[in-house]
Amino acid sequence: MSRPVTVGFDGSRESLAALDWAAGEAVSRAVPLRLLQVWSKDDGPRTRLVAPGTAQGWGERALGTAERRLRRRHPGLRTETQWVCGGPVPELCAAADEAELLVLGSRGLGRSAGFLAGSVSLAVLARTRRPLALVRPHNRPAAGEEEPAGEVVVGLGVSAPGDEVLAFGFAAADRYGCGLRVLHAWAVPAVHGADMGGGLQLICARTAQDARRALDEALAPWTEKYPEVSVVRDCHQGRPAQELVEASRGARLVVVGRRNRRAGIGTHIGSVTHAAIHHSQAPVTVVPHG
């Protein structure tokens, strides 16, 4: 049985954008789309005054309206709805375990302020071991637009690239029929001493050579598996987080990884992934690996 694409839905502008994006993703994968609404009595004083039965009625009507709208836009799309009462983070994590991809809306703060992912999205991101896509309101497909333009951008660390990240990126580009840009950037190493000009140049040259070799080795099995995908190797010196955000402009999708490891407090997301989910101009999919 096919795993569905699951989207968290609460009727907000952000979740409507996530819903439209998730529908296109489900169509491209030829899998069902599950609309999930999670209601918690602890969300605020207004929800504490609402009986679960009443909230369920409201939620199921909203889900039904959204489902009918999707069926008009995507007649062949298989859809299902689910309303649950519980904690948003554990319920969404449980839903992610059963899905090919979990899609959540993210709240934008405007062009200059960047992108506020939201406490629930970040908490789910830190815990789930399944791919999670974060979609901003402006990522919502325009009316009549079925095939967004742009390439898939994969931010990759060559020291531990993660096959799961590359597998997701290549498969997405293959489904979309678009190009794939694999970006690896590295910062200038810190050096000390009065006579380090030539030495620094040599260090940078060796770093670039090693990085390109490692990138080629990481990509080799995937370019062989997906020979039809046009790949751009974007390997250069720079600030990784900043370079990835710049590459997101005009991209169809940004794919980054998150190591499955526990930090001292909570789960470590990583500075590049953190920058992507806060500032990317394109939808971002975070793929756990390792």
Side-chain angles (χ1 to χ4, degrees):
M1 182 177 178
S2 299
R3 288 173 176 261
V5 170
T6 297
V7 56
F9 178 76
D10 61 8
S12 67
R13 178 168 166 257
E14 294 78 21
S15 71
L16 285 169
L19 182 63
D20 284 337
W21 189 89
E25 192 69 14
V27 169
S28 76
R29 294 168 178 262
V31 300
L33 177 67
R34 176 178 295 167
L35 287 66
L36 171 65
Q37 186 171 90
V38 182
W39 182 80
S40 171
K41 293 192 70 172
D42 298 327
D43 282 346
R46 294 179 64 183
T47 57
R48 295 190 192 106
L49 298 175
V50 178
T54 301
Q56 183 172 0
W58 293 346
E60 288 179 346
R61 283 194 292 273
L63 287 168
T65 299
E67 186 179 32
R68 288 189 295 273
R69 174 179 166 276
L70 283 177
R71 285 177 175 170
R72 288 193 298 270
R73 185 167 185 174
H74 304 283
L77 177 63
R78 291 172 290 160
T79 59
E80 56 187 75
T81 63
Q82 183 179 8
W83 184 94
V84 296
C85 178
V89 174
E91 292 292 347
L92 287 167
C93 286
D97 288 342
E98 300 175 352
E100 279 201 10
L101 176 69
L102 176 66
V103 183
L104 299 177
S106 291
R107 184 155 43 96
L109 294 178
R111 276 185 141 174
S112 59
F115 175 164
L116 179 63
S119 58
V120 170
S121 298
L122 288 176
V124 174
L125 170 63
R127 290 165 175 78
T128 183
R129 289 179 176 263
R130 299 292 299 167
L132 168 64
L134 298 173
V135 181
R136 296 176 67 175
H138 76 253
N139 299 140
R140 190 175 184 177
E145 180 186 40
E146 298 297 335
E147 297 294 339
E151 61 189 357
V152 173
V153 175
V154 175
L156 198 69
V158 296
S159 60
D163 282 344
E164 298 91 337
V165 180
L166 288 171
F168 192 99
F170 271 88
D174 186 56
R175 285 195 313 274
Y176 300 159
C178 69
L180 177 72
R181 179 176 299 272
V182 182
L183 172 64
H184 172 67
W186 65 91
V188 177
V191 295
H192 303 280
D195 188 25
M196 283 301 296
L200 179 58
Q201 291 180 359
L202 181 60
I203 290 171
C204 289
R206 286 178 176 171
T207 300
Q209 186 179 40
D210 292 344
R212 292 189 181 100
R213 183 184 300 113
L215 183 59
D216 286 341
E217 291 175 357
L219 293 179
W222 300 103
T223 55
E224 182 177 350
K225 183 176 180 179
Y226 293 96
E228 300 301 318
V229 174
S230 175
V231 180
V232 174
R233 292 164 171 79
D234 196 347
C235 186
H236 60 269
Q237 179 184 307
R239 297 179 179 177
Q242 181 178 328
E243 296 291 334
L244 187 60
V245 171
E246 287 298 319
S248 75
R249 301 181 189 280
R252 180 166 179 169
L253 177 67
V254 171
V255 181
V256 291
R258 178 184 66 76
R259 294 286 298 276
N260 282 320
R261 62 186 180 189
R262 289 284 172 182
I265 301 177
T267 300
H268 182 63
I269 293 176
S271 59
V272 176
T273 296
H274 192 271
I277 64 177
H278 281 80
H279 300 290
S280 173
Q281 295 299 304
V284 177
T285 297
V286 182
V287 182
H289 65 92

